[in-house]
Amino acid sequence: MPKRIDHDLRRRELVEASWQVIVDEGLEALTMRKVAAAAGCTTGRITHYFENREELVLAALRAVYDAAGERMAEAAKSNLPPAEKLLLHLEETLPLDAKRLREWKVWIAFWSAAASNPELAAENDRSHQLWRKSLVPLIEALAPGTDAAHEADILSGIADGLGLQAAVNFTPANRARARDTLAACVARLSQRN
């Protein structure tokens, strides 16, 4: 009987190996050979799943956004009160633990590359747009009558700035400040109700 291969799992392993190369060496250092070494496989396995480096880079970016998106979707489905649900949703975007710090390091590398790469910039915009849209119903539940789309823009910008600061200098104080600042923003928003 032929061995069954889980192709989704293999793709995921290769994407995660690419994240490690990006975190350790930066996006510009990402090569198929380095990803193969990080994944413990041949470059042939990578080219079976990704036609070229650019396809792997886009898959890595999409996967890092999807990972955060899955956590945010779970937070949005929770039975928490509106303020707690919104805060939990926002906190899922912050680098509060090693897993989310790794995501942030990948995002930072992509943001830098996106400044000069229109395809990466468009993908980044698409992902941020989805994130902001996911905030709107949570804001509407917390503060009906506010301009929820505008508030989503404000909160996402604040979360991006706080997350960047906490990721660049991953200290307990920076992580606590990020959490506390978002909590204060959500509390102010809830007072508008």
Side-chain angles (χ1 to χ4, degrees), residues 75-110:
K77 287 189 257 178
S78 71
N79 291 323
L80 295 170
E84 291 178 40
K85 187 184 293 192
L86 176 59
L87 183 57
L88 178 61
H89 188 86
L90 288 165
E91 284 181 349
E92 287 300 339
T93 69
L94 294 176
L96 299 177
D97 56 32
K99 178 173 65 174
R100 290 179 279 182
L101 175 61
R102 181 172 79 159
E103 291 172 359
W104 265 90
K105 287 184 175 185
V106 172
W107 285 332
I108 290 169
F110 278 109

Side-chain angles (χ1 to χ4, degrees), residues 110-118 121:
F110 278 109
W111 290 342
S112 177
S116 60
N117 181 319

